[in-house]
Amino acid sequence: MEFENLLTLIKAVSDSELTEFQYEENGTNIRFVKEQPQQIPVEVQAVPVPAAVQAVPAVGNGAADTAAEPEGMLVKSPLVGTFYAAPAEDADPFVSVGDTVKKGQTLAIVEAMKLMNEIESDYDGKIAEICVENGQAVEYGQPLFRIV
């Protein structure tokens, strides 16, 4: 059997649902066997749920969702780095809880690879919560501020 024909045969068997194939020509015997993925039996056990957990409303209930979510808009970290609330160690923080901010106003700095990236407000409003501590490492998309 020619090499190209052998490759074609291998591809055809691989693409098919066959699990085993045997071919003989001029005293040459070829046998292909595909291993089946092993299925591991899983035993499922019922676990009792405390009554307090059962009383939690189901996800998707509009009233419950709005009550669980704090009001306001979140300003999230646009990169991974270290959060700094002030422009320098001995300086006052850019903003504090209760401060009124304007869109575009600098709220903090996130340092990444020795670059200081100013975090600006995307919203007009009042700082309701500062979600991270000064000097804390932050991840991409992590909430930094809640503005109402």
Side-chain angles (χ1 to χ4, degrees), residues 24 30 35 54 62 76 82 95 129 143:
E24 188 175 336
I30 300 173
E35 289 188 22
Q54 293 174 352
K76 297 179 180 181
T82 304
V95 293
E129 180 181 4

Side-chain angles (χ1 to χ4, degrees), residues 12-148:
V13 172
S14 294
D15 292 344
S16 73
E17 293 183 17
L18 293 173
T19 57
E20 188 172 334
F21 178 81
Q22 187 165 345
Y23 179 79
E24 188 175 336
E25 179 181 297
N26 299 330
T28 303
N29 191 7
I30 300 173
R31 182 171 177 238
F32 301 112
V33 178
K34 276 197 239 178
E35 289 188 22
Q36 293 290 332
Q38 217 175 12
Q39 293 184 358
I40 301 171
V42 177
E43 188 175 316
V44 178
Q45 295 179 348
V47 177
V49 178
V53 174
Q54 293 174 352
V56 174
V59 174
N61 180 345
D65 287 347
T66 55
E69 285 290 318
E71 68 177 49
M73 289 92 38
L74 293 176
V75 175
K76 297 179 180 181
S77 179
L79 66 162
V80 175
T82 304
F83 175 86
Y84 293 109
E89 233 179 271
D90 56 344
D92 291 333
F94 288 105
V95 293
S96 300
V97 173
D99 288 356
T100 300
V101 295
K102 298 280 185 201
K103 182 176 181 176
Q105 180 178 340
T106 301
L107 303 176
I109 293 173
V110 173
E111 176 193 1
M113 298 175 57
K114 304 291 182 195
L115 293 174
M116 301 299 181
N117 301 279
E118 291 186 351
I119 305 303
E120 296 178 350
S121 177
D122 294 329
Y123 316 102
D124 291 335
K126 185 184 274 191
I127 301 290
E129 180 181 4
I130 301 174
C131 306
V132 293
E133 296 291 324
N134 189 45
Q136 178 179 335
V138 294
E139 296 292 324
Y140 171 80
Q142 179 177 349
L144 303 175
F145 298 91
R146 186 167 53 89
I147 299 176
V148 292

